[in-house]
C-alpha cells in the first residue's frame, strides 16, 4: 500500500484540499503534516503571527480522507544542539532565495526530516510555490531520497488570485489589487501589477536560470500589496 505525504503549515484552504484529494486518489494511506517551520521565516517575517487553527485544519483533513495528521513540535524537529541543514546551492539563492535569505535552507531541511519520518512513496506540493518545488526535486535527486515528488496545479480564486494562507492578511483594497498579479502574468506585462514588484521573469523550471520564452518555461512574479508579499507563476505554452 502506497503512502502519500502532504506537508503543510496549516491555515488550510482549497489549494490544500486539492493536494489532499489527489493524494487520497493516488495512495492507500495519506499523511498530512502540520508544522509551522520557524527556520524558513526570515527576520521581520510573520512566523509569530502566521495563522494557526489546528482544530479547523484537522477537520478539513478528516473531510478529505486523511488517515494521519502528523503534528510535531518545534523541539521534536529541532532538538537541543540541532546544527545540520540542507543546502541545494545556487538554485536556493536566486529570486525567492535572494529576497528571503536562508528560506530554502529551512524548507529543504524540514522537508527532508518529514520524508525521513513518514517514509512516503509520494509527496505533494503546489505549483504556486514553483521554486520550492524545484528545490525539493533537486534535493530528492541529489540525495537519492526514495520518493516521487508530485506537483499539483495552482488553485485560484474566481478573479485569478492564487490561493495562499497569507491572503487573509489583505484588506479589501489590497485584495482587489492583488488579483493584478495573475492578470499581469497572463498579459506578460509587469506594468500591469498594481503592487510593489520584486521580480517578473521567465525562467527554466528546473534551474530557475533566466531563459527565453518557450513552451514549458515559467513566468514568475512576486509583489507586495501593503505589508503582504505574494508570489505566483504560470507555465508558458507554445506560441
Amino acid at each position: 500500500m502506497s503512502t502519500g505525504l502532504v506537508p503543510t503549515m496549516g491555515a488550510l484552504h482549497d489549494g490544500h484540499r486539492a493536494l489532499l484529494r489527489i493524494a487520497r486518489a493516488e495512495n492507500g494511506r495519506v499523511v498530512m503534516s502540520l508544522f509551522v517551520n520557524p527556520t524558513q521565516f526570515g527576520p521581520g517575517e510573520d512566523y509569530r503571527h502566521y495563522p494557526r487553527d489546528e482544530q479547523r485544519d484537522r477537520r478539513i483533513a478528516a473531510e478529505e480522507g486523511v488517515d494521519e495528521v502528523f503534528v510535531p513540535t518545534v523541539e521534536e524537529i529541532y532538538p537541543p544542539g540541532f546544527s545540520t541543514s540542507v543546502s541545494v546551492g545556487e538554485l536556493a539563492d536566486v529570486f525567492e532565495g535572494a529576497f528571503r535569505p536562508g528560506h530554502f535552507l529551512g524548507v529543504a531541511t524540514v522537508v527532508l526530516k518529514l520524508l525521513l519520518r513518514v517514509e512516503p512513496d509520494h509527496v505533494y506540493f503546489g505549483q504556486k510555490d514553483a521554486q520550492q518545488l524545484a528545490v525539493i526535486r533537486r534535493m530528492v535527486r541529489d540525495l537519492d531520497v526514495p520518493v516521487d515528488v508530485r506537483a499539483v496545479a495552482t488553485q485560484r480564486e474566481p478573479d485569478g488570485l492564487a490561493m495562499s494562507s497569507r491572503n487573509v492578511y489583505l484588506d479589501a483594497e489590497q485584495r482587489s489589487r492583488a488579483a493584478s498579479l495573475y492578470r499581469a502574468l497572463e498579459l506578460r506585462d509587469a506594468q500591469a501589477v498594481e503592487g510593489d514588484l520584486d521580480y517578473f521573469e521567465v525562467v527554466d523550471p528546473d534551474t530557475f536560470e533566466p531563459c527565453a520564452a518557450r513552451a514549458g518555461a515559467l513566468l514568475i512574479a512576486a509583489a507586495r500589496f501593503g505589508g503582504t508579499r505574494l508570489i505566483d507563476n504560470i507555465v508558458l505554452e507554445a506560441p
Side-chain angles (χ1 to χ4, degrees), residues 33-201:
S33 63
L34 180 56
F35 180 65
V36 183
N37 178 34
T39 65
Q40 67 188 69
F41 289 80
E45 291 189 336
D46 55 347
Y47 173 68
R48 291 185 181 278
H49 302 289
Y50 193 83
R52 294 166 170 85
D53 189 341
E54 183 177 332
Q55 184 176 2
R56 175 180 175 276
D57 293 336
R58 285 184 176 275
R59 184 175 68 250
I60 291 173
E63 290 171 357
E64 298 301 337
V66 171
D67 297 291
E68 178 185 344
V69 180
F70 177 44
V71 190
T73 64
V74 172
E75 292 72 25
E76 284 180 83
I77 298 296
Y78 304 113
F82 184 90
S83 62
T84 301
S85 57
V86 179
S87 170
V88 298
E90 293 181 0
L91 173 59
D93 294 334
V94 298
F95 297 107
E96 285 304 287
F99 281 92
R100 305 177 67 189
H103 170 67
F104 288 122
L105 202 71
V107 169
T109 302
V110 75
V111 170
L112 181 59
K113 294 205 72 171
L114 293 172
L115 293 174
L116 292 171
R117 292 284 191 97
V118 178
E119 297 183 319
D121 299 280
H122 313 291
V123 63
Y124 296 82
F125 293 94
Q127 177 63 39
K128 180 183 76 70
D129 298 299
Q131 191 171 0
Q132 172 180 270
L133 183 63
V135 164
I136 299 306
R137 282 176 165 158
R138 178 71 59 83
M139 178 190 73
V140 163
R141 186 199 71 184
D142 289 354
L143 298 182
D144 300 319
V145 182
V147 68
D148 178 36
V149 180
R150 300 288 183 93
V152 176
T154 301
Q155 304 298 299
R156 300 187 179 278
E157 302 290 353
D159 61 2
L161 178 67
M163 292 181 180
S164 169
S165 299
R166 289 187 168 91
N167 290 350
V168 299
Y169 299 147
L170 300 166
D171 64 25
E173 185 271 337
Q174 293 162 355
R175 171 63 184 80
S176 177
R177 289 192 292 113
S180 69
L181 190 60
Y182 178 63
R183 290 198 299 270
L185 290 170
E186 290 283 275
L187 293 169
R188 317 290 197 266
D189 181 6
Q191 294 184 350
V193 178
E194 299 173 14
D196 297 321
L197 192 65
D198 282 345
Y199 58 77
F200 195 92
E201 188 77 59

